[in-house]
Amino acid sequence: QVQLVESGGGLVQAGGSLRLSCAASGRTFSSYGMAWFRQAPGKEREFVAVIIWRSGNTYYADSVKGRFTISRDNAENTGYLQMNSLKPEDTAVYYCAAGRGGSAKSLYDRWGQGTQVTVSS
C-alpha cells in the first residue's frame, strides 16, 4: 500500500511559481505512475501531468505544457510538480495519485489529501 502526502501549495501572484511535493510511504512508487490532478470549485477533477516512475517518461495536459514540470527523486520516493508562469485559472486543489499511469482518474487507486494552490491576478 502506498500512502501519499502532498505539500507546497499556497498563495502566489499571477506569473509566479510554486513547487508541489508528493511524498510516498509504504510501498514505493517503482511499479507505478505518479500523477497530478487538480480540481477547481464547481469543476471536475482534471489531469495535469504524469511521470512513469521506472522510465521517467512524462506527459502533460495541454493547458500546462511548457509551464509545469513533473519530476521524481527515486532516493526520496518523492514526486514534484514545478509550476511556473502561474495563471489565475490554475487555482485549484492539487492532488497527487499513484496508479498505472495515463490521464484517466480511474487508473489511479491511491490519492493524497490535496493541497490548495491559489493564484491571484
Side-chain angles (χ1 to χ4, degrees):
Q1 298 270 338
V2 175
Q3 289 80 44
L4 307 176
V5 178
E6 302 102 332
S7 61
L11 173 65
V12 64
Q13 288 188 329
S17 298
L18 283 174
R19 189 176 81 154
L20 306 183
S21 299
C22 178
S25 61
R27 188 176 175 182
T28 66
F29 274 125
S30 62
S31 58
Y32 287 85
M34 190 211 79
W36 290 93
F37 288 77
R38 66 186 182 186
Q39 188 166 17
K43 294 189 176 181
E44 294 287 322
R45 191 171 299 189
E46 65 175 6
F47 168 77
V48 175
V50 61
I51 185 165
I52 305 304
W53 202 261
R54 195 180 298 274
S55 66
N57 289 342
T58 59
Y59 305 93
Y60 296 91
D62 288 343
S63 59
V64 306
K65 204 172 292 183
R67 299 187 298 123
F68 291 11
T69 302
I70 191 170
S71 62
R72 75 205 191 301
D73 183 324
N74 286 331
E76 297 294 327
N77 211 29
T78 299
Y80 302 97
L81 185 68
Q82 178 67 42
M83 305 185 295
N84 298 330
S85 302
L86 282 161
K87 304 175 181 179
E89 51 264 44
D90 294 318
T91 295
V93 177
Y94 283 70
Y95 298 89
C96 70
R100 289 185 283 157
S103 61
K105 294 189 295 292
S106 60
L107 294 170
Y108 297 88
D109 55 2
R110 292 290 178 263
W111 293 83
Q113 82 286 356
T115 185
Q116 176 71 46
V117 171
T118 303
V119 184
S120 63
S121 56

